[in-house]
Each structure stands twice: as C-alpha cells, then as structure tokens.
Amino acid sequence: MPAVIYLFIGICLVDISRPWLPAPVRSFFVGREWMVGFGIVGAVSLMLIKGYVNTLNIELKKLELVIKKQSLHPFLRLVVASDIHAGGTIGKRRLSRIINKIQSLEPDLILLPGDLLDGSRTALEKEGIDKVFMSLSAPYGVYGCIGNHECFYGSDSLAAFLEKCGITILKDEIKEVDQFLYIVGRNDRAVEVLEGKEKRKPLKVILQGIDRSKAIFVMDHRPTAIEEAVENQVDLLVCGHTHQGQFWPINLIVKRIFAFSYGYQQIGSTHVIVTRGAGTWGPPVRVGQRSEVVLVEIRFIEK
C-alpha cells in the first residue's frame, strides 16, 4: 500500500514538473525515461526500507505525571503499549523485541489497551506467541482490554488466550489493585458491531460504588470517549488504535477522523494518553515515526 501511494506521487510529480524543466534537461531525458523510472523506484525502495527499520527501532516516550490522590505508594512506573498485532506481520521475533523493551523499563504496572493479537487462537498457539507473552510481568500486574482486531477472531477466545499468558483482560470491568488504584478495561465497540454482543457499559455504570479517594486508570482502545472519561473524573485514560496513521498521508486522514489522535494532554483532572502503538498493522512500515512504548512516571500527592 505505501509503495503504491509513493510511486503514484512520484510519477505525478515528474509529470507536473516536466513542462517547467529547462529545455536542455528535457532533451537529455528523451529516450532515457527509464532513468527517471529507476530513480523513482529507488527512492521509494529506500523510503520503505527506512520505514521497516522504524518499526523495529522502538521509541521510548517518557511522561511525568502528578495525580492528586492518596496512595500508600507515592511513586509508580507505568508502561503503556498498544496495537501490538501479534500474529499478523508481527511474529515471535518482533514480538520478543517489544516484550524485551517493556521489561527493560522495570515497570510496576503494565497496561495494554487493545489490538494485542491478530490471528486465531489456534494459529497463535501454533506459532508460539503465547510463550513470548508469558515473559511479561510487573509487581502490580499486566492488564489489557479488547480492541477491534480481537473481535475479528473471537474476542472471548483471544481474551482466554491472553489470560493464559498471565495478562488480566478487563471487559467492561473494574479491578482494584493493592488497595490504592482502580483499573478499568472497556470493551471496544466492535464487540457489539462485529460480534453482535451487548452494547458496552457506560463508564458511569462501571464506576458505581467505588472509593473516589483512590486513583482511577481507564483503558479504552479507541480515543473516542475522552469526554466521557473527563465527565467521570478518571485520573488517567490510555488509548491506542490510531497508529498515528503509520505513514504519510494516512496520518493526515487519521487527524481528521479523531479529535485527538496522538500524544498527551490534560483535561481538567484527567490525563489522556493516545499512543501510536508498539507494533504495526498491514504493511510493517512507519514513515516519519517509529513504533513506541510509553513510560509514565506517576507521583501521587494528597489534595
């Protein structure tokens, strides 16, 4: 797909610029059009090679946040990694690079907001993807939620696969961690649209009856319910899905689709993180960006 896009753009640029070239230059290329063709193909090939290297060279994004909630643990190292897409173009070797990167950060807590898998449970087990995921660990646990790609192969089956790997999958559920933190995992809307299951629960319903003096972290695969998270005064919302477009000009389209497609912002007391993802979907290419994991160093202080 990126090859077709960039070859098309290159050919168009050559055709557009041809009338503006000096006469001697135009004369030189008469009968030598193959040179232009080779030049375009060569430039696109180099761009795609660099794009593939960008997927392997995982970038570390660091954030330092202050959350005004009481906690017996004043400091927390959180790692966020979404959109791994293991089982598609992400085999054991690339998955191992991602897992090793996460573990090298010595996280206290790991959150994986969706699109972790891209294949049937049978195919993933045959490839040994489960054995790689089993090496993920953190003192306060590893948590994930359902993304749209899990729904292509049966979200219940893949949730069970990830649970077997030691990853707690929260499906419109809330989990209290060590009496100082609530973690919420929301179902992606694809659970309803693709699998015909119940509409996902409103966040207000999921949070009913909790102790609001404790911190609340929410995983929601798509960054489409940011206002709902802010209205319910969650402390941290982590999302993925967008891949930040993965390569130009898809990134421009993604920016138009999502009000907030990548990065960090604070809205009121809610911190929002949208990551471009640790893996790739479709072509294993990133142009103008690298795959990433996010390290969030959180300090809790009382109001």
Side-chain angles (χ1 to χ4, degrees):
M1 183 166 56
V4 170
I5 290 172
Y6 296 140
L7 286 170
F8 175 74
I9 291 172
I11 292 167
C12 288
L13 288 175
V14 169
D15 282 345
I16 291 169
S17 62
R18 191 192 307 270
W20 305 95
L21 293 174
V25 175
R26 291 201 304 271
S27 299
F28 175 80
F29 283 109
V30 173
R32 298 185 179 92
E33 288 80 4
W34 61 270
M35 295 174 64
V36 177
F38 271 107
I40 294 172
V41 171
V44 170
S45 297
L46 289 174
M47 188 180 295
L48 296 180
I49 291 169
K50 179 61 168 66
Y52 178 67
V53 172
N54 285 345
T55 69
L56 301 179
N57 188 14
I58 302 169
E59 184 176 4
L60 173 62
K61 286 291 180 73
K62 290 184 179 181
L63 290 170
E64 295 181 2
L65 306 183
V66 174
I67 292 178
K68 296 181 179 180
K69 291 288 180 73
Q70 66 181 24
S71 174
L72 298 174
H73 311 278
F75 185 76
L76 182 74
R77 285 174 66 87
L78 164 67
V79 170
V80 179
S82 78
D83 298 275
I84 295 174
H85 292 280
T89 56
I90 310 288
K92 286 175 62 177
R93 183 176 296 180
R94 279 189 65 191
L95 179 59
S96 294
R97 293 175 73 102
I98 295 168
I99 300 304
N100 291 340
K101 182 73 172 183
I102 293 171
Q103 290 299 127
S104 71
L105 301 174
E106 300 181 346
D108 299 316
L109 175 68
I110 299 171
L111 298 183
L112 308 171
D115 276 8
L116 308 181
L117 302 172
D118 232 332
S120 68
R121 180 170 182 173
T122 302
L124 294 168
E125 288 176 339
K126 185 176 181 180
E127 193 174 349
I129 294 295
D130 50 345
K131 294 178 177 61
V132 183
F133 268 118
M134 283 176 185
S135 60
L136 266 183
S137 65
Y140 296 129
V142 184
Y143 296 86
C145 68
I146 297 298
N148 57 301
H149 277 255
E150 278 83 14
C151 298
F152 296 150
Y153 304 94
S155 62
D156 289 340
S157 173
L158 294 189
F161 173 88
L162 291 167
E163 290 274 359
K164 188 190 77 170
C165 298
I167 301 169
T168 301
I169 300 299
L170 300 176
K171 298 184 284 186
D172 277 352
E173 297 172 290
I174 187 167
K175 174 85 172 179
E176 186 175 359
V177 177
D178 207 34
Q179 299 183 337
F180 80 103
L181 169 67
Y182 293 107
I183 298 176
V184 175
R186 305 198 69 187
N187 274 343
D188 188 75
R189 67 186 185 195
V191 171
E192 174 193 1
V193 176
L194 296 180
E195 297 187 293
K197 296 180 181 177
E198 291 183 7
K199 189 174 182 179
R200 73 180 194 163
K201 296 177 185 176
L203 186 55
K204 183 178 181 180
V205 172
I206 299 173
L207 297 176
Q208 276 182 343
I210 68 168
D211 181 356
R212 287 281 179 171
S213 69
K214 299 176 182 178
I216 307 166
F217 294 177
V218 176
M219 296 177 290
D220 195 356
H221 180 59
R222 306 186 203 211
T224 52
I226 294 174
E227 288 184 7
E228 187 182 6
V230 173
E231 287 169 4
N232 284 277
Q233 297 181 317
V234 308
D235 298 289
L236 176 64
L237 171 67
V238 296
C239 306
H241 184 67
T242 70
H243 291 233
Q244 202 190 0
Q246 212 168 290
F247 52 86
W248 185 90
I250 307 301
N251 61 320
L252 303 179
I253 298 171
V254 166
K255 273 188 176 182
R256 297 297 298 269
I257 295 173
F258 298 96
F260 183 51
S261 62
Y262 173 71
Y264 163 78
Q265 64 175 325
Q266 182 175 355
I267 307 172
S269 61
T270 301
H271 302 275
V272 181
I273 298 171
V274 181
T275 174
R276 67 169 69 110
T280 51
W281 175 77
V285 170
R286 286 188 182 271
V287 176
Q289 58 174 260
R290 287 155 53 190
S291 299
E292 73 173 19
V293 298
V294 183
L295 172 63
V296 190
E297 297 181 332
I298 300 171
R299 189 160 51 91
F300 295 97
I301 62 172
E302 293 193 23
K303 293 183 180 179

